[in-house]
């Protein structure tokens, strides 16, 4: 039999062998530390008798060793106790819940018999709002019912035929019998021409022919169709369009001149009114400015001409290339503005070209510096170039101040290179002198670093020397940019270029687009 031990922490009984009496042990249930008691018989037998000649007494002490694990009861009994404790807890909870429900039911019965609940019910009913007799009905969802789709057949509309009749507007000429320069076919159809003897029409398109009193359009060489009527009756010139005139015939009429012959001489009228536009203003926000000849029924592109004139407030300029007074498609002219020398300044290139179904002029603004640098003249490009020149100026000024330091740095790098080259790579290994690979690698690395530093220092000296030599040219470049800036400001302040698109028919110039 062993020694029975009751755990002082959880009360769990355990058994320990007699050999472990007096030692510490760990409870297998709660893992608490406890001491194994020593039976009285063992204690008395183990205690030694005091010596005869000494009064000292030494008690018996149990060695303080590590606690042992005491064998616990079987797992089955432990599980049985756990289940019993869980069942007891559940039964207790059920009993408490039953007592609470029974108490609440008994209280409700007592309050109902005393009439307390009836009074609370009456107060609750009185506090509720009275429902209105005509309460608004609840809003119901609206359902959108679409009618069935029907296909409606729309009868094909025939083009309406509009007959142009002479207007009531009449131009009465002075006694000198001078005719106007232009005849607006869309407005004026009745013109008083006294003492006229005859008239004829000349167009840039040979397919337009005047036969008698009718203008006929030969779309096909062997056939023709009437498109307009032109006659003189009672001293009045009457022009009338015929219905369904083709576009080619209408353009041919607009690009023609009318000759009226009288005893006093021959007068010519252009069969169109010019389009008036604003002058060309240079826009330095974009590198290219495009101006087109926007008019109705333009003549053939090869017959269109352009004249460009600058106002009196423009800076003086000279032109190279084609003449600005009579440019045609694929012609090019360069205008160079007032420059101190031919190597710098502002230039504008005028290029007349055909784009699709229109003819226009492209204006390219360029600038040139004394270093022969040429670029597009825009605000962004000019500002960028000016900053580059200013940075070069600052670098050149700094280079002249730092040249002595740069040269000393080159001398120091050369000395460092000589020191690296003179490094020894041999040492004693035992009792002999031999080459050490580690010293060889160290020397080569030192030489490479010194050579790289010397190259960089020499490049700095060379660049600084070049900047010092170019300093006068950089100053001239900066002055040229200031001159170009003032020149651009004067061009912007000017009124602009006046221009005129026209074509020539039988030696007569007919205006298409004219700037005011």
């Amino acid at each position: 039999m062993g020694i029975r031990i009751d755990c002082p922490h959880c009360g769990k009984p355990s058994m320990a062998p007699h050999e472990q009496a007096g030692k510490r042990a760990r409870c297998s249930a709660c893992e608490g530390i406890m001491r194994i008691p020593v039976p009285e018989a063992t204690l008395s037998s183990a205690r030694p008798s005091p010596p005869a000649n000494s009064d000292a007494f030494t008690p018996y002490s149990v060695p303080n060793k590590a606690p042992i694990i005491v064998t616990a009861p079987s797992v089955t009994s432990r599980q049985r106790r756990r289940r019993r404790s869980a069942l007891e807890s559940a039964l207790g909870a059920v009993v408490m819940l039953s007592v609470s429900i029974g108490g609440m039911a008994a209280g409700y019965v007592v309050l109902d018999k005393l009439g307390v609940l009836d009074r609370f019910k009456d107060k609750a009913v009185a506090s509720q709002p009275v429902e209105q007799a005509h309460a608004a009905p609840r809003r119901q969802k609206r359902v959108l019912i679409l009618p069935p789709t029907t296909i409606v057949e729309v009868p094909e509309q025939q083009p309406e035929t509009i007959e142009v009749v002479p207007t009531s507007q009449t131009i009465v000429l002075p006694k000198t019998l001078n005719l106007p320069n232009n005849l607006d076919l869309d407005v004026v159809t009745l013109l008083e021409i006294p003492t006229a003897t005859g008239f004829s029409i000349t167009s840039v398109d040979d397919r337009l022919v005047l036969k008698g009193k009718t203008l006929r359009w030969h779309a096909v060489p062997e056939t023709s169709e009437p498109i307009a009527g032109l006659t003189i009756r009672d001293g009045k010139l009457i022009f009338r369009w015929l219905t369904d005139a083709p576009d080619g015939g209408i353009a041919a009429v607009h690009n023609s001149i009318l000759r009226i012959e009288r005893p006093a001489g021959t007068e010519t009228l252009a069969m169109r009114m010019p389009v008036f536009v604003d002058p060309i203003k240079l826009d330095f926000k974009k590198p290219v400015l495009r101006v087109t000849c926007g008019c109705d029924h333009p003549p053939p592109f090869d017959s269109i001409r352009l004249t460009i004139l600058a106002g009196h407030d423009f800076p003086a300029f000279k032109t190279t290339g084609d003449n600005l007074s009579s440019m045609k498609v694929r012609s090019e002219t360069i205008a160079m503005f007032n420059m101190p020398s031919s190597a710098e300044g502002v230039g504008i290139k005028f290029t007349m070209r055909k784009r699709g179904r229109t003819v226009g002029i492209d204006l390219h603004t360029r600038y040139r510096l004394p270093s022969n640098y040429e670029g597009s003249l825009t605000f962004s490009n000019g500002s960028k170039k000016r900053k580059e020149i200013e940075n070069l100026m600052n670098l050149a000024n700094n280079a002249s101040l730092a040249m002595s330091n740069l040269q000393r740095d080159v001398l120091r790098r050369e000395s460092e290179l000589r020191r690296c080259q003179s490094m020894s790579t041999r040492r004693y290994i035992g009792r002999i002198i031999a080459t050490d690979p580690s010293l060889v690698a160290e020397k080569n690395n030192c030489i490479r670093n010194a050579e790289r530093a010397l190259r960089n220092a020499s490049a700095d000296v060379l660049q600084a020397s070049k900047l010092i030599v170019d300093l006068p040219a950089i100053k001239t470049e900066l002055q040229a940019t200031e001159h170009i800036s003032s020149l651009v400001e004067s061009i912007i302040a000017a009124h602009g270029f006046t221009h005129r698109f026209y074509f020539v028919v039988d030696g007569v110039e007919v205006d298409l687009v004219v700037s005011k």
Side-chain angles (χ1 to χ4, degrees):
M1 297 266 321
I3 303 173
R4 178 183 174 86
I5 307 172
D6 294 331
C7 180
H9 303 287
C10 63
K12 189 81 170 180
S14 304
M15 298 296 292
H18 288 282
E19 291 81 4
Q20 304 297 332
K23 298 182 180 181
R24 290 189 301 169
R26 186 184 301 276
C27 180
S28 61
C30 65
E31 296 185 356
I33 304 299
M34 58 185 175
R35 185 176 293 277
I36 302 173
V38 179
E40 292 294 333
T42 305
L43 184 61
S44 60
S45 61
R47 185 179 299 119
S49 60
N53 59 351
S54 178
D55 296 333
F57 175 76
T58 304
Y60 177 79
S61 59
V62 180
N64 188 11
K65 295 183 179 181
I68 62 174
I69 304 299
V70 181
T71 305
S74 63
V75 179
T76 306
S77 60
R78 188 190 316 143
Q79 293 179 353
R80 188 181 304 111
R81 283 193 296 274
R82 286 183 180 177
R83 293 173 183 173
R84 187 183 303 112
S85 61
L87 181 59
E88 290 174 355
S89 300
L91 290 176
V94 171
V95 171
M96 292 295 294
L97 182 61
S98 301
V99 171
S100 300
I101 294 174
M104 294 175 62
Y108 181 84
V109 172
V110 172
L111 292 176
D112 186 52
K113 288 182 179 182
L114 294 177
V116 177
L117 297 179
D118 294 334
R119 290 195 297 270
F120 280 100
K121 291 179 181 179
D122 296 337
K123 290 182 181 180
V125 172
S127 62
Q128 293 181 358
V130 181
E131 187 178 359
Q132 297 181 2
H134 302 285
R138 297 181 64 182
R139 184 175 181 181
Q140 299 181 355
K141 296 182 179 179
R142 297 179 60 184
V143 180
L144 182 61
I145 301 177
L146 299 176
T149 56
T150 57
I151 300 175
V152 181
E153 295 184 359
V154 181
E156 184 179 359
Q157 297 182 359
Q158 299 295 332
E160 184 179 359
T161 302
I162 301 176
E163 182 177 358
V164 182
V165 298
T167 61
S168 58
Q169 183 177 359
T170 303
I171 298 178
V172 180
L173 301 180
K175 294 182 180 180
T176 56
L177 301 179
N178 291 328
L179 295 177
N181 295 328
N182 304 87
L183 182 64
D184 193 347
L185 302 182
D186 298 330
V187 177
V188 179
T189 56
L190 185 63
L191 187 65
E192 186 174 352
I193 306 177
T195 65
T197 57
F199 58 88
S200 62
I201 285 184
T202 304
S203 175
V204 294
D205 198 332
D206 297 337
R207 293 176 293 178
L208 182 67
V209 179
L210 177 62
K211 292 185 177 180
K213 302 178 180 180
T214 306
L215 285 171
R216 304 187 69 86
W217 172 249
H218 292 262
V220 182
E222 297 181 356
T223 61
S224 63
E225 57 179 326
I227 59 175
L230 185 64
T231 184
I232 296 178
R233 184 184 304 165
D234 298 332
K236 297 178 179 179
L237 174 65
I238 300 174
F239 177 85
R240 178 178 300 180
W241 287 105
L242 301 180
T243 59
D244 299 334
D247 294 338
I250 295 175
V253 174
H254 281 87
N255 299 320
S256 59
I257 58 171
L258 174 66
R259 294 183 182 274
I260 300 177
E261 300 175 357
R262 295 194 303 272
T266 302
E267 298 286 346
T268 58
L269 285 84
M271 302 294 284
R272 67 159 62 237
M273 294 295 291
V275 177
F276 295 96
V277 295
D278 295 329
I280 300 174
K281 293 287 291 184
L282 292 178
D283 185 7
F284 291 98
K285 296 179 181 179
K286 300 178 181 179
V288 180
L289 177 62
R290 184 167 297 161
V291 180
T292 59
C293 176
C295 63
D296 296 332
H297 312 294
F301 297 141
D302 294 338
S303 62
I304 297 178
R305 299 291 182 268
L306 172 66
T307 298
I308 297 179
L309 298 175
H312 63 280
D313 53 352
F314 254 86
F317 64 92
K318 58 182 180 179
T319 60
T320 57
D322 296 332
N323 192 356
L324 279 177
S325 60
S326 59
M327 296 185 66
K328 57 184 179 179
V329 178
R330 292 179 293 276
S331 61
E332 186 176 284
T333 303
I334 299 176
M336 300 298 295
F337 283 85
N338 183 19
M339 265 74 65
S341 63
S342 59
E344 62 183 35
V346 177
I348 302 176
K349 182 171 67 173
F350 302 88
T351 306
M352 188 171 175
R353 61 186 63 188
K354 177 176 70 71
R355 294 184 179 275
R357 304 181 64 178
T358 60
V359 171
I361 181 86
D362 291 344
L363 286 77
H364 298 259
T365 55
R366 310 286 293 180
Y367 73 100
R368 185 185 303 164
L369 296 176
S371 59
N372 291 328
Y373 173 82
E374 185 176 352
S376 175
L377 181 58
T378 58
F379 291 126
S380 59
N381 191 12
S383 300
K384 181 178 179 181
K385 188 61 180 178
R386 185 182 181 90
K387 289 181 180 179
E388 292 179 359
I389 298 175
E390 291 177 351
N391 292 335
L392 285 177
M393 175 70 73
N394 295 331
L395 291 176
N397 293 330
N398 295 334
S400 60
L401 297 176
M403 176 57 72
S404 59
N405 294 332
L406 294 175
Q407 292 175 350
R408 283 196 296 270
D409 186 51
V410 170
L411 296 177
R412 186 168 58 254
R413 300 300 180 185
E414 291 177 350
S415 176
E416 179 68 17
L417 179 60
R418 287 193 297 268
R419 185 189 68 81
C420 293
Q421 291 173 348
S422 63
M423 291 175 60
S424 176
T425 60
R426 298 172 64 83
R427 69 171 183 171
Y428 278 97
I429 301 177
R431 294 184 176 182
I432 61 174
I433 299 176
T435 302
D436 189 352
S438 60
L439 295 179
V440 173
E442 182 181 356
K443 179 179 180 180
N444 293 335
N445 189 24
C446 181
I447 292 175
R448 283 195 299 269
N449 294 336
E451 289 177 348
R452 181 169 57 251
L454 180 60
R455 285 196 301 270
N456 294 336
S458 301
D460 293 340
V461 171
L462 183 62
Q463 184 179 5
S465 303
K466 187 176 183 303
L467 288 173
I468 294 174
V469 172
D470 294 342
L471 183 59
I474 295 174
K475 291 182 179 179
T476 304
E477 199 95 337
L478 187 59
Q479 294 175 357
T481 58
E482 295 176 355
H483 174 73
I484 291 173
S485 298
S486 61
L487 192 61
V488 169
E489 291 178 358
S490 62
I491 293 175
I492 293 175
H495 289 84
F497 290 99
T498 59
H499 61 287
R500 167 179 171 247
F501 287 96
Y502 64 96
F503 67 99
V504 180
V505 183
D506 197 13
V508 179
E509 297 182 356
V510 179
D511 290 327
L512 295 171
V513 177
V514 180
S515 60
K516 301 177 183 178

